[in-house]
Amino acid sequence: MQANVQWQKDLVFTATTGSGQTVHMDGNKTEAASPMELVLAAAGGCSSVDVVSILEKARQEVTACRCEVHGERADAVPAVFTKIHLHFVVTGRDVAEKHVERAVQLSAEKYCSVAKMLEASVTLTHSFSIEQAD
């Protein structure tokens, strides 16, 4: 894997990934997300991929899934994350709680590479709720 990060102006940068995708970042958070916000998004995205994939394999009728990620940072420089909480809101038809619980647990303990990398220095917690689809 690789990425190239190119300075645009002020504290705005564009990252181009090895797969050719681009992501904009802004240290001032005026034109794009900050790099630290993208770390939270990466944790939520990686875990969400796992959760949805596991639920689909369990033949759960999921119509939506969102991951609300909250991070707390140290007060000193470097202001690293000290705690990250991922709350999954799974929407679907007759989605079984036991399947969602298992999917979240498997993502946290086994599959999410981003979470596994972060857990060495960050306290990661997870929760979920289920909403019935119309």
Side-chain angles (χ1 to χ4, degrees):
M1 275 191 158
Q2 72 165 24
N4 293 308
V5 178
Q6 179 68 43
W7 179 41
Q8 302 300 316
K9 64 179 180 175
D10 301 322
L11 294 179
V12 178
F13 295 81
T14 299
T16 304
T17 66
S19 63
Q21 305 303 313
T22 58
V23 177
H24 302 286
M25 299 174 279
D26 184 351
N28 290 323
K29 299 187 267 186
T30 56
E31 294 187 30
S34 73
M36 290 300 280
E37 289 173 318
L38 292 175
V39 169
L40 291 181
C46 184
S47 290
S48 293
V49 166
D50 296 335
V51 168
V52 169
S53 177
I54 292 165
L55 290 172
E56 285 179 341
K57 288 177 183 164
R59 292 191 167 91
Q60 297 298 291
E61 194 175 345
V62 176
T63 59
C65 178
R66 86 175 170 272
C67 185
E68 300 166 351
V69 188
H70 176 75
E72 293 181 25
R73 296 175 72 180
D75 291 330
V77 174
V80 298
F81 286 114
T82 56
K83 296 178 183 176
I84 296 175
H85 181 75
L86 294 91
H87 177 75
F88 295 89
V89 180
V90 176
T91 304
R93 293 179 186 83
D94 301 318
V95 174
E97 183 174 337
K98 69 178 183 176
H99 286 296
V100 177
E101 182 176 25
R102 180 175 177 274
V104 170
Q105 181 180 11
L106 282 171
S107 176
E109 295 177 0
K110 186 173 183 179
Y111 293 116
C112 180
S113 302
V114 175
K116 296 306 279 180
M117 184 173 52
L118 290 171
E119 76 181 10
S121 60
V122 178
T123 301
L124 289 170
T125 55
H126 302 77
S127 61
F128 68 90
S129 58
I130 301 170
E131 296 178 350
Q132 186 65 26
D134 296 331

